[in-house]
Amino acid sequence: MVKYITKRLVLMILTIFIIASLTFFLMHAIPGSPFNEERGTNETVQANLEEHYHLDEPLLVQYFIYMKSVVTFDFGPSIKQPTETVNDLLGRGFPISAELGIISIVVAVISGIILGVFAALRHNGIIDYMAMAFAVLGISIPNFVLATLLIQKFAVDWDVLPAATWSSPMHMILPTIALATGPMAIIARLTRSSMIETLTQDYIKTAHAKGLKPWKIVIKHALKNALMPVVTIMGTLLAGVLTGTFVIEKIFAIPGMGKYFVESINQRDYPVIMGTTVFYSAFLIGMLFLVDIAYGLLDPRIKLHKEGGE
Amino acid sequence: MLPATEEKEQQTNPSDIPDDWFKPKQKDTSEAESVVRPSLSYWEDAWHRLRKNKMAMGGLVFLILLGFMAIFGPMLSPHTVGETTLSNQNKPPSSDHWFGTDKLGRDVFTRTWFGARISLFVGIMAALIDFFIGVAYGGIAGYKGGRTDSVMMRIIEILYGLPYLLVVILLLVVMGPSLATIIVALTVTGWVGMARIVRGQVLQLKNYEFVLASQSFGAKTKRIIQKNLLPNTMGPIIVQMTLTVPTAIFAEAFLSFLGLGIQSPYASWGVMANDSLGVILSGHWWRLFFPAFFISATMFAFNVLGDGLQDALDPKLRR
């Protein structure tokens, strides 16, 4: 176990290092300096600006300065809004994005599992077909389409829920639905298929023969094993929710990290792009790591100390 | 038709049985040759099962129609993609503009089918490139095994850990938004899934006798992978490709929606949806409805087709 964790930890740091380097060299592959287009800067001002942002140093020196900023997590001020540092933006945006993301993933997991279990218990019945039709629809409708649809119906036509911002629980309902539907549909389908398989296993028959109550068998015996595939894809789902927050925050005017990220891309604000990319990647890779560890702890059949060959 | 039974008891010795008791049975050749069920190849069988799946067939028919309209749709309309008529802004669907016009007076009908071209092109190209890289990589890793495999798998693990849309966004920022960039960016990390599937399959298949037979005939690695291993992996590969297409279509729409995709005057469904975000309040529903409907319907069609193929091509489900 310890060996496995160490191995994964090394791989994780390597991945973050690659992402950070990739970001740096990609950003510096763009011709010109970020200040070229700025009006009213004469050559002295530009030189000073470049010196301030270390843009006059050789690339390798810049790379080391940058790597230092990655390790200490200090990306300095934004170029377009010089009064704010990248850390300020992240500090302000991240809690909101995290809230949106966590609520959405919790809603998606709980409703997805419930939907999947009911579909499996009524295998080939009406509930099954309806749940699965709903799930395929949920996978097929892009979140930004769903979001606009929800605003149109709930906020404009019926005027029952607020359409934008993130200030009260009422404001959170529409963005959460828009973001959670896709992952929910994926979880529901996975839960259903693995539940159907689990329910045919011998130990479930034994449990029935012992005279246990059906709901107890489902919850205590079947669900525990049926949920293993769901745990496996949690990492991918987290990534989806994370990137989903970009568009959802844009549509609902939520002042989260995604909004700053999209803005920084559109404004070519390099320190902010680099900072947010590295932060997002590190966060995501860390989550993937935790999911893997959780999977290893949950499934006794996986021997973590063994080299994973097959 | 035995002779009298009392005689039988006396004649217990088999050698005493007269030869004329034996009559050759008439061989009924017509019966033996008739086949109860038609013999089907793997693909015929899969096709039969796919045909029974109404949802998947519906998806297939929709996609064929969509492909047809993507090619000929823009020709059916007198308007072009970028043609702006400022006197014709935000007109609802009419006999002239079948799907209405947008805020610059552009024809939504033409733009919708142009968007279909972009989406299908991105989806199919992404799937094809994933196929070539993923199959080659996965095939080699799986067949070679040992050190080669573990080094190749470490590379995959690292790539797999990269947040895919972030990498795509990063590449788009650097290379500038264009169709080619989107496809390159999507395939940089996209082939990993395919490589994993092919490797897993090859790892199982390479221990079968027919591979050993091929090896003993002196077949080269390339030939074994191409002729022996890959044809047996085609089922999962096709399913994976069918499911790659909607992912790529979604990614293109998503990036265009963020302003990183196809640029004006060209249209993609994501661009059109992004352009028409304001219509919620103004009530020009047709500007959002058509692109939104076709993105969702196309992804739906590919998803149900992929599901159907998964069932149809699974040899375990063969009856």
Side-chain angles (χ1 to χ4, degrees):
Chain A
M1 187 74 196
V2 176
K3 204 176 157 194
Y4 173 78
I5 292 179
T6 332
K7 197 190 119 204
R8 286 301 318 259
L9 217 57
V10 170
L11 208 64
M12 182 171 103
I13 291 166
L14 191 65
T15 315
I16 295 175
F17 173 76
I18 288 173
I19 264 275
S21 309
L22 191 74
T23 318
F24 175 83
F25 287 110
L26 283 177
M27 288 298 134
H28 283 266
I30 306 169
S33 115
F35 307 109
N36 279 354
E37 61 211 74
E38 215 99 336
R39 255 183 259 154
T41 50
N42 59 33
E43 270 172 31
T44 333
V45 173
Q46 196 160 322
N48 280 340
L49 275 172
E50 287 191 351
E51 199 191 328
H52 180 73
Y53 289 105
H54 303 290
L55 292 175
D56 53 343
E57 310 267 4
L59 198 62
L60 212 62
V61 177
Q62 285 190 44
Y63 180 63
F64 281 117
I65 294 171
Y66 164 77
M67 273 303 164
K68 210 182 114 209
S69 72
V70 170
V71 174
T72 57
F73 212 82
D74 176 18
F75 288 93
S78 151
I79 289 182
K80 300 289 165 175
Q81 292 149 295
T83 49
E84 292 197 272
T85 66
V86 178
N87 287 6
D88 287 341
L89 292 179
L90 290 181
R92 204 142 24 90
F94 180 65
I96 297 174
S97 294
E99 205 177 15
L100 170 64
I102 290 170
I103 294 176
S104 300
I105 201 95
V106 168
V107 167
V109 168
I110 293 175
S111 51
I113 290 175
I114 292 175
L115 204 62
V117 167
F118 273 103
L121 291 178
R122 300 274 177 275
H123 185 32
N124 285 334
I126 281 275
I127 295 179
D128 185 21
Y129 287 132
M130 295 220 323
M132 283 311 109
F134 180 67
V136 184
L137 266 178
I139 293 173
S140 303
I141 298 179
N143 45 23
F144 55 88
V145 170
L146 184 64
T148 34
L149 217 67
L150 288 172
I151 295 179
Q152 175 74 53
K153 284 293 153 207
F154 286 92
V156 180
D157 289 358
W158 302 330
D159 199 20
V160 284
L161 288 168
T165 73
W166 188 254
S167 38
S168 76
M170 286 296 273
H171 288 83
M172 297 178 185
I173 297 176
L174 291 185
T176 306
I177 295 176
L179 194 53
T181 303
M184 181 205 74
I186 296 173
I187 294 173
R189 277 159 57 107
L190 254 170
T191 310
R192 171 180 173 270
S193 58
S194 89
M195 194 72 185
I196 288 173
E197 211 184 305
T198 312
L199 286 175
T200 61
Q201 306 254 313
D202 287 342
Y203 73 90
I204 298 292
K205 280 184 200 137
T206 315
H208 277 292
K210 279 200 305 188
L212 291 182
K213 290 198 177 69
W215 63 266
K216 208 171 178 183
I217 296 173
V218 170
I219 293 175
K220 282 194 98 172
H221 297 254
L223 201 57
K224 220 162 105 188
N225 283 312
L227 287 186
M228 288 317 287
V230 178
V231 179
T232 350
I233 59 148
M234 276 314 284
T236 329
L237 286 184
L238 277 170
V241 167
L242 200 76
T243 40
T245 56
F246 301 167
V247 281
I248 296 301
E249 285 174 10
K250 183 185 169 185
I251 295 172
F252 288 95
I254 297 167
M257 212 162 82
K259 185 176 152 266
Y260 295 117
F261 183 58
V262 174
E263 268 173 16
S264 71
I265 290 168
N266 289 331
Q267 298 173 345
R268 305 289 189 267
D269 191 342
Y270 299 128
V272 181
I273 298 181
M274 290 198 260
T276 37
T277 310
V278 171
F279 182 80
Y280 267 131
S281 317
F283 180 75
L284 198 61
I285 292 163
M287 289 312 248
L288 282 175
F289 174 69
L290 289 182
V291 166
D292 269 16
I293 301 288
Y295 189 68
L297 290 176
L298 285 173
D299 192 349
R301 283 171 303 185
I302 293 181
K303 294 192 188 78
L304 288 178
H305 57 268
K306 258 196 179 169
E307 182 77 322
E310 318 262 309
Chain B
M1 294 301 274
L2 285 168
T5 34
E6 56 266 34
E7 276 178 343
K8 196 189 169 193
E9 303 226 327
Q10 295 150 15
Q11 297 170 344
T12 41
N13 193 351
S15 60
D16 294 341
I17 301 171
D19 279 349
D20 57 312
W21 279 20
F22 293 98
K23 263 193 286 175
K25 188 179 185 298
Q26 209 57 42
K27 196 177 174 189
D28 192 356
T29 43
S30 64
E31 195 68 17
E33 288 299 307
S34 82
V35 176
V36 185
R37 286 174 72 179
S39 152
L40 295 176
S41 76
Y42 175 59
W43 298 109
E44 283 170 329
D45 183 55
W47 170 241
H48 274 271
R49 265 183 292 153
L50 186 67
R51 251 192 354 205
K52 281 191 197 131
N53 187 335
K54 288 196 190 88
M55 289 280 272
M57 285 314 283
L60 187 63
V61 170
F62 174 84
L63 290 174
I64 291 171
L65 287 178
L66 185 77
F68 182 80
M69 282 309 281
I71 298 169
F72 299 109
M75 296 175 197
L76 294 176
S77 149
H79 310 281
T80 61
V81 187
E83 177 192 294
T84 54
T85 324
L86 290 177
S87 57
N88 247 342
Q89 289 168 339
N90 294 325
K91 287 275 165 8
S94 63
S95 59
D96 185 28
H97 296 283
W98 295 335
F99 288 180
T101 61
D102 69 2
K103 65 179 173 200
L104 295 173
R106 292 176 295 199
D107 183 44
V108 176
F109 180 81
T110 317
R111 290 175 73 73
T112 300
W113 300 125
F114 199 89
R117 281 185 190 178
I118 303 276
S119 290
L120 289 179
F121 183 72
V122 168
I124 291 168
M125 282 307 284
L128 280 179
I129 298 175
D130 279 6
F131 169 79
F132 285 116
I133 305 177
V135 164
Y137 195 96
I140 293 170
Y143 185 70
K144 288 275 181 189
R147 270 202 95 73
T148 323
D149 183 38
S150 37
V151 171
M152 286 175 95
M153 284 316 284
R154 285 300 94 76
I155 296 173
I156 280 198
E157 264 174 53
I158 289 173
L159 278 173
Y160 195 70
L162 298 182
Y164 127 89
L165 266 174
L166 277 179
V167 175
V168 173
I169 290 173
L170 221 57
L171 284 173
L172 281 169
V173 170
V174 176
M175 293 159 73
S178 80
L179 199 55
T181 317
I182 290 186
I183 293 171
V184 169
L186 284 178
T187 43
V188 164
T189 54
W191 58 272
V192 172
M194 178 70 84
R196 285 183 139 194
I197 287 174
V198 175
R199 172 186 172 268
Q201 290 281 319
V202 167
L203 221 50
Q204 278 181 4
L205 287 170
K206 71 171 177 185
N207 294 323
Y208 283 112
E209 281 82 0
F210 68 91
V211 178
L212 186 69
S214 211
Q215 280 166 340
S216 61
F217 281 131
K220 297 230 165 57
T221 306
K222 194 180 160 199
R223 190 187 157 82
I224 291 176
I225 292 180
Q226 276 180 356
K227 297 278 168 187
N228 298 125
L229 298 176
L230 287 184
N232 287 298
T233 327
M234 275 326 270
I237 290 177
I238 287 174
V239 172
Q240 171 73 10
M241 281 177 78
T242 327
L243 296 175
T244 304
V245 178
T247 318
I249 290 177
F250 170 75
E252 187 279 321
F254 178 91
L255 295 167
S256 296
F257 187 81
L258 286 180
L260 286 167
I262 313 296
Q263 303 292 302
S264 206
Y266 298 112
S268 96
W269 292 335
V271 172
M272 292 169 76
N274 187 21
D275 279 349
S276 46
L277 261 188
V279 306
I280 295 164
L281 295 172
S282 63
H284 305 136
W285 57 269
W286 57 90
R287 282 178 46 201
L288 181 64
F289 173 77
F290 291 107
F293 171 77
F294 281 104
I295 306 173
S296 309
T298 307
M299 287 185 48
F300 185 81
F302 270 110
N303 279 324
V304 290
L305 181 63
D307 283 355
L309 282 172
Q310 194 149 36
D311 292 343
L313 292 172
D314 188 350
K316 276 181 284 182
L317 292 175
R318 194 174 176 180
R319 273 162 297 166

